[in-house]
Coordinates of all heavy atoms in Angstrom, one line a residue:
R1 N -2.3 -13.3 11.2 CA -2.8 -13.2 9.9 C -1.6 -12.9 8.9 O -1.6 -13.4 7.8 CB -3.8 -12.0 9.9 CG -4.5 -11.8 8.6 CD -5.6 -10.9 8.7 NE -6.1 -10.5 7.5 CZ -7.1 -9.7 7.3 NH1 -7.7 -9.2 8.4 NH2 -7.5 -9.3 6.1
Y2 N -0.7 -12.1 9.3 CA 0.5 -11.8 8.5 C 1.7 -12.2 9.3 O 1.8 -12.0 10.5 CB 0.6 -10.3 8.2 CG -0.6 -9.8 7.4 CD1 -1.6 -9.1 8.0 CD2 -0.6 -10.0 6.0 CE1 -2.7 -8.7 7.2 CE2 -1.7 -9.6 5.3 CZ -2.8 -8.9 5.9 OH -3.8 -8.5 5.2
K3 N 2.7 -12.8 8.6 CA 3.9 -13.3 9.2 C 4.8 -12.1 9.6 O 5.5 -12.1 10.6 CB 4.6 -14.2 8.3 CG 5.8 -14.9 9.0 CD 6.4 -16.0 8.1 CE 7.6 -16.6 8.8 NZ 8.2 -17.7 8.0
Y4 N 4.8 -11.1 8.7 CA 5.6 -9.9 8.9 C 4.7 -8.6 8.8 O 3.5 -8.7 9.0 CB 6.7 -9.8 7.9 CG 7.6 -11.0 7.9 CD1 7.6 -12.0 7.0 CD2 8.5 -11.2 9.0 CE1 8.4 -13.1 7.0 CE2 9.3 -12.3 9.1 CZ 9.2 -13.3 8.1 OH 10.0 -14.4 8.2
A5 N 5.2 -7.5 8.5 CA 4.4 -6.3 8.4 C 3.3 -6.5 7.3 O 3.5 -7.1 6.3 CB 5.3 -5.1 7.9
A6 N 2.2 -6.0 7.7 CA 1.0 -6.1 6.8 C 1.1 -5.0 5.7 O 1.7 -4.0 5.8 CB -0.3 -5.8 7.6
P7 N 0.5 -5.4 4.5 CA 0.5 -4.4 3.4 C -0.4 -3.2 3.7 O -1.2 -3.2 4.6 CB -0.1 -5.2 2.2 CG -0.7 -6.3 2.8 CD -0.2 -6.6 4.2
T8 N -0.1 -2.1 3.1 CA -0.8 -0.8 3.3 C -2.3 -1.1 3.1 O -2.8 -1.8 2.2 CB -0.4 0.2 2.2 OG1 1.0 0.4 2.4 CG2 -1.1 1.5 2.4
N9 N -3.1 -0.5 4.0 CA -4.6 -0.6 4.0 C -5.1 -2.0 4.3 O -6.2 -2.3 3.9 CB -5.2 0.0 2.8 CG -5.0 1.5 2.7 OD1 -5.0 2.2 3.7 ND2 -4.8 2.0 1.5
A10 N -4.3 -2.9 4.9 CA -4.8 -4.3 5.1 C -5.9 -4.3 6.1 O -6.6 -5.3 6.2 CB -3.6 -5.1 5.6
F11 N -6.1 -3.3 6.9 CA -7.1 -3.3 8.0 C -8.2 -2.4 7.8 O -8.8 -1.8 8.7 CB -6.4 -3.1 9.3 CG -5.3 -4.1 9.7 CD1 -4.0 -3.8 9.5 CD2 -5.7 -5.4 10.0 CE1 -3.0 -4.8 9.8 CE2 -4.7 -6.3 10.3 CZ -3.4 -6.0 10.2
G12 N -8.5 -2.1 6.5 CA -9.7 -1.3 6.2 C -9.4 0.2 6.0 O -8.2 0.6 6.1
Q13 N -10.4 0.9 5.9 CA -10.3 2.3 5.6 C -10.7 3.2 6.8 O -11.3 4.3 6.6 CB -11.2 2.7 4.4 CG -10.8 2.0 3.1 CD -9.4 2.4 2.6 OE1 -9.0 3.5 2.8 NE2 -8.6 1.4 2.1
I14 N -10.5 2.7 8.0 CA -10.8 3.5 9.2 C -10.0 4.7 9.3 O -8.7 4.6 9.2 CB -10.7 2.6 10.5 CG1 -11.6 1.4 10.4 CG2 -11.0 3.5 11.7 CD1 -11.3 0.4 11.4
E15 N -10.6 5.9 9.4 CA -9.9 7.2 9.5 C -10.0 7.8 10.8 O -11.0 7.7 11.5 CB -10.4 8.1 8.4 CG -10.2 7.7 7.0 CD -10.6 8.8 6.0 OE1 -11.2 9.8 6.4 OE2 -10.4 8.6 4.8
S16 N -9.0 8.6 11.2 CA -9.0 9.5 12.3 C -10.0 10.7 12.0 O -10.3 10.8 10.8 CB -7.6 10.0 12.7 OG -7.2 11.0 11.8
P17 N -10.3 11.5 12.9 CA -11.1 12.7 12.6 C -10.4 13.6 11.6 O -11.1 14.4 10.9 CB -11.3 13.4 13.9 CG -11.1 12.3 14.9 CD -10.1 11.4 14.4
W18 N -9.1 13.5 11.4 CA -8.4 14.3 10.5 C -8.1 13.6 9.1 O -7.4 14.1 8.3 CB -7.1 14.8 11.1 CG -7.3 15.5 12.4 CD1 -7.6 16.9 12.5 CD2 -7.4 15.0 13.7 NE1 -7.9 17.2 13.8 CE2 -7.7 16.0 14.6 CE3 -7.2 13.7 14.2 CZ2 -7.9 15.8 15.9 CZ3 -7.4 13.5 15.6 CH2 -7.7 14.6 16.4
G19 N -8.6 12.4 8.9 CA -8.4 11.7 7.7 C -7.2 10.8 7.6 O -6.9 10.3 6.6
A20 N -6.5 10.7 8.7 CA -5.3 9.9 8.7 C -5.6 8.4 8.8 O -6.6 8.1 9.6 CB -4.3 10.3 9.8
R21 N -4.9 7.5 8.2 CA -5.2 6.1 8.2 C -3.9 5.3 8.6 O -2.8 5.8 8.4 CB -5.6 5.6 6.9 CG -6.9 6.2 6.4 CD -7.2 5.6 5.0 NE -8.3 6.4 4.4 CZ -8.6 6.4 3.1 NH1 -7.8 5.8 2.3 NH2 -9.6 7.1 2.7
N22 N -4.1 4.1 9.2 CA -3.0 3.2 9.5 C -1.8 3.8 10.3 O -0.7 3.8 9.9 CB -2.4 2.7 8.1 CG -3.4 2.0 7.3 OD1 -4.1 1.0 7.8 ND2 -3.6 2.4 6.1
L23 N -2.2 4.4 11.4 CA -1.2 5.2 12.2 C -0.4 4.3 13.2 O 0.7 4.7 13.5 CB -1.9 6.3 13.0 CG -2.4 7.4 12.1 CD1 -3.1 8.5 13.0 CD2 -1.3 8.1 11.4
V24 N -0.9 3.2 13.6 CA -0.2 2.4 14.7 C -0.2 0.9 14.4 O -1.1 0.4 13.7 CB -0.8 2.7 16.1 CG1 -0.6 4.1 16.5 CG2 -2.2 2.3 16.1
G25 N 0.8 0.2 15.0 CA 0.8 -1.2 15.0 C 1.4 -2.0 13.9 O 1.6 -3.2 14.1
N26 N 1.8 -1.4 12.8 CA 2.4 -2.2 11.8 C 3.9 -2.1 11.8 O 4.6 -3.1 12.1 CB 1.9 -1.7 10.4 CG 2.0 -2.8 9.3 OD1 2.2 -4.0 9.6 ND2 1.9 -2.4 8.1
V27 N 4.5 -1.0 11.7 CA 5.9 -0.8 11.8 C 6.2 0.5 12.7 O 5.3 1.4 12.7 CB 6.7 -0.6 10.5 CG1 6.6 -1.9 9.7 CG2 6.2 0.5 9.7
R28 N 7.3 0.5 13.3 CA 7.7 1.7 14.1 C 8.1 2.7 13.1 O 8.6 2.4 12.0 CB 8.8 1.3 15.1 CG 8.4 0.3 16.1 CD 9.4 0.0 17.1 NE 10.6 -0.6 16.5 CZ 11.8 -0.5 17.1 NH1 12.0 0.1 18.2 NH2 12.8 -1.1 16.5
E29 N 7.9 4.0 13.4 CA 8.1 5.0 12.4 C 9.5 5.7 12.6 O 9.8 6.3 13.6 CB 7.0 6.1 12.6 CG 7.0 7.1 11.5 CD 5.8 8.0 11.6 OE1 4.7 7.5 11.9 OE2 5.9 9.2 11.2
W30 N 10.3 5.6 11.6 CA 11.6 6.3 11.5 C 11.3 7.8 11.3 O 10.5 8.2 10.5 CB 12.3 5.7 10.3 CG 13.7 6.3 10.1 CD1 14.0 7.5 9.5 CD2 14.9 5.7 10.5 NE1 15.4 7.7 9.5 CE2 16.0 6.6 10.2 CE3 15.3 4.6 11.2 CZ2 17.3 6.3 10.4 CZ3 16.6 4.3 11.4 CH2 17.6 5.2 11.1
T31 N 12.0 8.6 12.1 CA 11.8 10.1 12.0 C 13.1 10.8 11.7 O 14.2 10.2 11.8 CB 11.2 10.7 13.2 OG1 12.1 10.6 14.3 CG2 9.9 9.9 13.6
S32 N 13.1 12.0 11.4 CA 14.3 12.8 11.3 C 14.7 13.5 12.6 O 15.6 14.3 12.6 CB 14.1 13.9 10.2 OG 13.0 14.8 10.6
T33 N 14.0 13.1 13.7 CA 14.4 13.7 15.0 C 15.6 13.1 15.5 O 15.8 11.8 15.6 CB 13.2 13.4 16.0 OG1 12.0 13.9 15.4 CG2 13.5 14.1 17.3
K34 N 16.6 13.9 15.9 CA 17.9 13.4 16.4 C 17.9 13.3 17.9 O 17.3 14.2 18.6 CB 19.0 14.3 16.0 CG 19.2 14.3 14.5 CD 20.3 15.3 14.1 CE 20.5 15.3 12.6 NZ 21.5 16.2 12.1
G35 N 18.4 12.2 18.4 CA 18.6 12.0 19.8 C 20.1 12.3 20.2 O 20.8 12.8 19.4
E36 N 20.5 11.9 21.4 CA 21.9 12.1 21.8 C 22.8 11.2 21.0 O 24.0 11.6 20.8 CB 22.0 11.9 23.3 CG 21.3 12.9 24.1 CD 21.5 12.7 25.6 OE1 22.4 11.9 26.0 OE2 20.7 13.3 26.4
K37 N 22.4 10.0 20.7 CA 23.3 9.0 20.1 C 22.8 8.5 18.8 O 23.4 7.6 18.2 CB 23.5 7.8 21.0 CG 24.1 8.1 22.4 CD 24.2 6.9 23.3 CE 24.7 7.3 24.6 NZ 24.8 6.2 25.5
G38 N 21.8 9.0 18.3 CA 21.2 8.5 17.0 C 19.9 9.2 16.6 O 19.6 10.3 17.0
M39 N 19.1 8.5 15.9 CA 17.8 9.0 15.4 C 16.7 8.3 16.2 O 16.9 7.3 16.8 CB 17.6 8.6 13.9 CG 18.7 9.1 13.0 SD 19.1 10.8 13.1 CE 17.6 11.4 12.2
L40 N 15.6 9.0 16.3 CA 14.4 8.5 17.1 C 13.5 7.7 16.2 O 13.1 8.2 15.1 CB 13.7 9.6 17.8 CG 14.5 10.3 18.9 CD1 13.7 11.4 19.6 CD2 15.0 9.3 19.9
V41 N 13.0 6.6 16.7 CA 11.9 5.8 16.1 C 10.7 5.9 17.0 O 10.9 5.7 18.2 CB 12.4 4.4 15.9 CG1 11.3 3.5 15.4 CG2 13.5 4.3 14.9
F42 N 9.6 6.1 16.5 CA 8.4 6.3 17.4 C 7.4 5.1 17.2 O 7.3 4.6 16.1 CB 7.6 7.6 17.0 CG 8.3 8.8 17.5 CD1 9.3 9.4 16.8 CD2 8.0 9.4 18.8 CE1 10.0 10.6 17.2 CE2 8.7 10.5 19.2 CZ 9.7 11.1 18.5
G43 N 6.6 4.9 18.2 CA 5.6 3.9 18.2 C 6.0 2.5 18.4 O 7.1 2.2 18.8
G44 N 5.0 1.6 18.0 CA 5.3 0.1 18.1 C 4.9 -0.5 16.8 O 4.2 0.0 16.0
G45 N 5.5 -1.7 16.6 CA 5.2 -2.4 15.3 C 4.9 -3.9 15.6 O 4.6 -4.3 16.7
W46 N 4.8 -4.6 14.5 CA 4.4 -6.0 14.6 C 5.3 -6.9 15.5 O 4.8 -7.9 16.0 CB 4.2 -6.6 13.2 CG 5.5 -6.7 12.4 CD1 6.1 -5.7 11.6 CD2 6.4 -7.8 12.4 NE1 7.2 -6.2 11.1 CE2 7.5 -7.5 11.6 CE3 6.4 -9.1 13.0 CZ2 8.6 -8.3 11.3 CZ3 7.5 -9.9 12.7 CH2 8.5 -9.5 11.9
M47 N 6.5 -6.5 15.8 CA 7.4 -7.3 16.6 C 7.3 -6.8 18.1 O 7.9 -7.4 19.0 CB 8.8 -7.2 16.2 CG 9.1 -7.9 14.9 SD 10.8 -7.6 14.2 CE 11.8 -8.2 15.6
S48 N 6.6 -5.7 18.4 CA 6.5 -5.2 19.7 C 5.5 -6.0 20.6 O 4.6 -6.5 20.1 CB 6.0 -3.7 19.6 OG 6.8 -2.9 18.8
S49 N 5.8 -5.9 21.9 CA 4.9 -6.5 22.9 C 3.7 -5.6 23.0 O 3.7 -4.4 22.6 CB 5.6 -6.7 24.2 OG 5.8 -5.5 24.8
R50 N 2.7 -6.1 23.7 CA 1.5 -5.3 23.9 C 1.8 -4.0 24.7 O 1.3 -2.9 24.5 CB 0.4 -6.0 24.7 CG -0.3 -7.1 23.9 CD -1.3 -7.7 24.7 NE -2.0 -8.7 23.9 CZ -3.1 -9.4 24.3 NH1 -3.6 -9.2 25.5 NH2 -3.7 -10.2 23.5
L51 N 2.8 -4.1 25.6 CA 3.2 -2.9 26.4 C 3.9 -1.9 25.6 O 4.0 -0.7 26.0 CB 4.0 -3.3 27.6 CG 3.3 -4.2 28.7 CD1 4.3 -4.7 29.7 CD2 2.1 -3.5 29.3
Q52 N 4.5 -2.3 24.5 CA 5.3 -1.4 23.7 C 4.5 -0.8 22.6 O 4.9 0.1 21.9 CB 6.5 -2.2 23.0 CG 7.5 -2.7 24.0 CD 8.5 -3.6 23.4 OE1 8.2 -4.3 22.4 NE2 9.7 -3.5 23.9
L53 N 3.2 -1.2 22.4 CA 2.4 -0.6 21.3 C 1.7 0.7 21.7 O 0.5 0.7 22.1 CB 1.3 -1.7 20.9 CG 1.8 -2.8 20.1 CD1 0.6 -3.8 19.9 CD2 2.4 -2.4 18.8
R54 N 2.5 1.7 21.8 CA 2.1 3.0 22.1 C 2.6 4.0 21.1 O 3.8 4.0 20.8 CB 2.6 3.4 23.5 CG 2.1 2.5 24.6 CD 2.6 3.0 26.0 NE 3.8 3.8 26.0 CZ 5.0 3.3 26.3 NH1 5.1 2.0 26.7 NH2 6.1 4.0 26.3
V55 N 1.8 5.0 20.7 CA 2.3 6.0 19.8 C 3.3 6.9 20.4 O 4.1 7.6 19.8 CB 1.2 6.8 19.2 CG1 0.3 6.0 18.3 CG2 0.3 7.5 20.2
T56 N 3.3 6.9 21.8 CA 4.3 7.8 22.5 C 5.6 7.1 22.8 O 6.5 7.8 23.3 CB 3.7 8.2 23.9 OG1 3.3 7.0 24.6 CG2 2.4 9.1 23.7
R57 N 5.8 5.9 22.4 CA 7.0 5.2 22.6 C 8.1 5.7 21.7 O 7.9 5.9 20.5 CB 6.8 3.7 22.3 CG 8.1 2.9 22.5 CD 7.8 1.4 22.2 NE 9.1 0.7 22.3 CZ 9.4 -0.3 21.5 NH1 8.6 -0.7 20.5 NH2 10.6 -0.9 21.6
R58 N 9.3 6.0 22.3 CA 10.4 6.5 21.6 C 11.6 5.6 21.8 O 11.9 5.2 22.9 CB 10.8 7.9 22.0 CG 9.9 8.9 21.6 CD 10.4 10.3 21.9 NE 10.6 10.5 23.3 CZ 10.7 11.6 23.9 NH1 10.6 12.7 23.2 NH2 10.9 11.7 25.2
T59 N 12.3 5.2 20.7 CA 13.5 4.4 20.8 C 14.6 5.1 20.0 O 14.3 5.6 18.9 CB 13.3 3.0 20.2 OG1 12.1 2.4 20.8 CG2 14.4 2.1 20.4
E60 N 15.8 5.2 20.5 CA 16.9 5.8 19.8 C 17.7 4.7 19.2 O 18.1 3.7 19.8 CB 17.8 6.6 20.8 CG 18.7 7.5 20.1 CD 19.4 8.5 21.1 OE1 18.7 8.9 22.1 OE2 20.5 8.9 20.8
I61 N 18.0 4.9 17.9 CA 18.7 3.9 17.1 C 19.8 4.6 16.3 O 19.8 5.8 16.0 CB 17.8 3.1 16.2 CG1 17.1 4.0 15.2 CG2 16.8 2.3 17.0 CD1 16.4 3.2 14.1
K62 N 20.8 3.8 15.9 CA 21.8 4.3 15.0 C 21.3 4.5 13.6 O 20.4 3.7 13.1 CB 23.0 3.3 14.9 CG 23.7 3.1 16.2 CD 24.9 2.1 16.0 CE 25.6 1.9 17.4 NZ 26.6 0.9 17.2
P63 N 21.7 5.5 12.9 CA 21.2 5.8 11.5 C 21.4 4.6 10.5 O 20.8 4.6 9.5 CB 22.0 7.0 11.1 CG 22.4 7.7 12.3 CD 22.6 6.6 13.3
T64 N 22.4 3.7 10.8 CA 22.6 2.6 9.9 C 21.8 1.4 10.2 O 22.0 0.4 9.6 CB 24.1 2.3 10.0 OG1 24.5 2.0 11.4 CG2 25.0 3.4 9.5
T65 N 20.9 1.5 11.2 CA 20.1 0.3 11.6 C 19.1 0.0 10.5 O 18.4 0.9 9.9 CB 19.3 0.7 12.9 OG1 20.3 1.0 13.9 CG2 18.4 -0.5 13.3
A66 N 18.9 -1.3 10.2 CA 17.9 -1.8 9.3 C 17.2 -2.9 9.9 O 17.8 -3.9 10.4 CB 18.6 -2.3 8.0
R67 N 15.9 -2.8 10.0 CA 15.0 -3.8 10.7 C 13.7 -3.9 9.9 O 13.2 -3.0 9.3 CB 14.7 -3.5 12.1 CG 16.0 -3.5 13.0 CD 15.6 -3.1 14.4 NE 14.4 -3.9 14.9 CZ 14.3 -4.4 16.1 NH1 15.3 -4.4 16.9 NH2 13.2 -5.1 16.4
G68 N 13.1 -5.1 10.0 CA 11.8 -5.3 9.3 C 10.6 -4.7 10.0 O 9.5 -4.7 9.5
D69 N 10.8 -4.1 11.2 CA 9.7 -3.5 11.9 C 9.9 -2.0 12.0 O 9.2 -1.4 12.8 CB 9.5 -4.1 13.3 CG 10.7 -3.8 14.3 OD1 11.8 -3.6 13.8 OD2 10.4 -3.8 15.5
I70 N 10.7 -1.4 11.2 CA 10.9 0.0 11.2 C 10.6 0.5 9.7 O 11.1 0.0 8.8 CB 12.3 0.5 11.6 CG1 12.6 0.0 13.0 CG2 12.5 2.0 11.4 CD1 14.0 0.3 13.4
G71 N 9.8 1.5 9.6 CA 9.5 2.1 8.3 C 9.4 3.6 8.4 O 9.7 4.2 9.4
F72 N 8.9 4.2 7.4 CA 8.7 5.6 7.4 C 7.3 5.9 6.7 O 6.7 5.1 6.0 CB 9.8 6.4 6.6 CG 10.0 6.0 5.2 CD1 9.3 6.7 4.2 CD2 10.8 4.9 4.9 CE1 9.4 6.3 2.9 CE2 10.9 4.5 3.5 CZ 10.3 5.2 2.6
R73 N 6.8 7.1 7.0 CA 5.4 7.5 6.6 C 5.6 8.4 5.4 O 6.3 9.4 5.5 CB 4.7 8.1 7.7 CG 3.3 8.5 7.3 CD 2.5 9.0 8.6 NE 2.5 8.0 9.6 CZ 1.7 6.9 9.6 NH1 0.9 6.7 8.6 NH2 1.7 6.0 10.6
C74 N 4.9 8.2 4.3 CA 4.7 9.1 3.3 C 3.5 9.9 3.5 O 2.4 9.3 3.7 CB 4.7 8.4 1.9 SG 6.1 7.5 1.5
A75 N 3.5 11.2 3.5 CA 2.4 12.0 3.8 C 2.2 13.0 2.7 O 3.1 13.5 2.1 CB 2.5 12.7 5.1
L76 N 0.9 13.3 2.4 CA 0.6 14.3 1.4 C -0.4 15.3 2.1 O -1.4 14.9 2.7 CB -0.1 13.6 0.2 CG -0.7 14.6 -0.8 CD1 0.5 15.3 -1.6 CD2 -1.5 13.7 -1.8
S77 N -0.1 16.5 2.1 CA -1.0 17.5 2.6 C -2.1 17.8 1.6 O -1.9 17.9 0.4 CB -0.3 18.8 2.9 OG 0.7 18.6 3.9
K78 N -3.3 17.9 2.2 CA -4.4 18.3 1.3 C -5.0 19.6 1.8 O -5.0 19.8 3.0 CB -5.4 17.2 1.1 CG -6.2 16.9 2.3 CD -7.3 15.8 2.0 CE -8.2 15.6 3.2 NZ -9.2 14.6 2.9
E79 N -5.5 20.4 0.9 CA -6.1 21.6 1.3 C -7.4 21.3 2.1 O -8.3 20.6 1.7 CB -6.5 22.5 0.1 CG -6.9 23.9 0.4 CD -7.0 24.7 -0.8 OE1 -6.2 24.6 -1.8 OE2 -8.0 25.6 -0.8
L80 N -7.5 22.0 3.3 CA -8.7 21.8 4.1 C -9.9 22.6 3.5 O -9.7 23.7 3.0 CB -8.4 22.2 5.5 CG -7.3 21.4 6.2 CD1 -7.1 22.0 7.6 CD2 -7.7 20.0 6.3
D81 N -11.1 22.1 3.7 CA -12.3 22.9 3.3 C -12.4 24.1 4.1 O -12.2 24.1 5.3 CB -13.5 22.0 3.4 CG -13.5 20.9 2.4 OD1 -12.8 21.0 1.4 OD2 -14.1 19.8 2.7
K82 N -12.7 25.2 3.5 CA -12.8 26.5 4.3 C -14.3 26.8 4.5 O -15.2 26.5 3.9 CB -12.2 27.6 3.5 CG -10.7 27.4 3.4 CD -10.0 28.6 2.7 CE -8.5 28.3 2.6 NZ -7.8 29.4 2.0

């Protein structure tokens, strides 16, 4: 359907029990977690094989790496109902 990474919310408004959306399968997630030789990227993206599409997948990359299947998540905390 998409040649590269899909736009935000391209697959509907399906939410986890905690209200999170679009957690897996589009781009691998760049994190601030440091490994032995670089930074860690989590998950699988549109270029990954079926076996690599896991949220537990970790890949160590150089901080200067730029790829079309690596992104980052913008998150906003919201106050939980009491």
Side-chain angles (χ1 to χ4, degrees):
R1 183 169 171 179
Y2 299 99
K3 187 174 181 179
Y4 303 107
T8 303
N9 292 326
F11 300 103
Q13 300 296 322
I14 300 170
E15 292 185 355
S16 75
W18 301 275
R21 300 179 186 157
N22 301 306
L23 291 178
V24 296
N26 202 16
V27 295
R28 298 185 294 155
E29 187 172 328
W30 182 277
T31 70
S32 61
T33 306
K34 294 180 181 178
E36 291 180 18
K37 299 178 182 176
M39 306 303 288
L40 293 182
V41 173
F42 286 87
W46 63 271
M47 290 176 58
S48 302
S49 71
R50 286 183 178 187
L51 296 175
Q52 296 172 328
L53 287 174
R54 300 185 329 260
V55 295
T56 56
R57 179 180 178 219
R58 290 189 296 201
T59 307
E60 194 167 329
I61 61 171
K62 294 179 183 178
T64 55
T65 301
R67 293 179 50 134
D69 67 331
I70 298 175
F72 59 91
R73 180 172 307 280
C74 297
L76 175 68
S77 296
K78 69 177 188 179
E79 189 173 324
L80 299 175
D81 294 334
K82 295 182 181 184

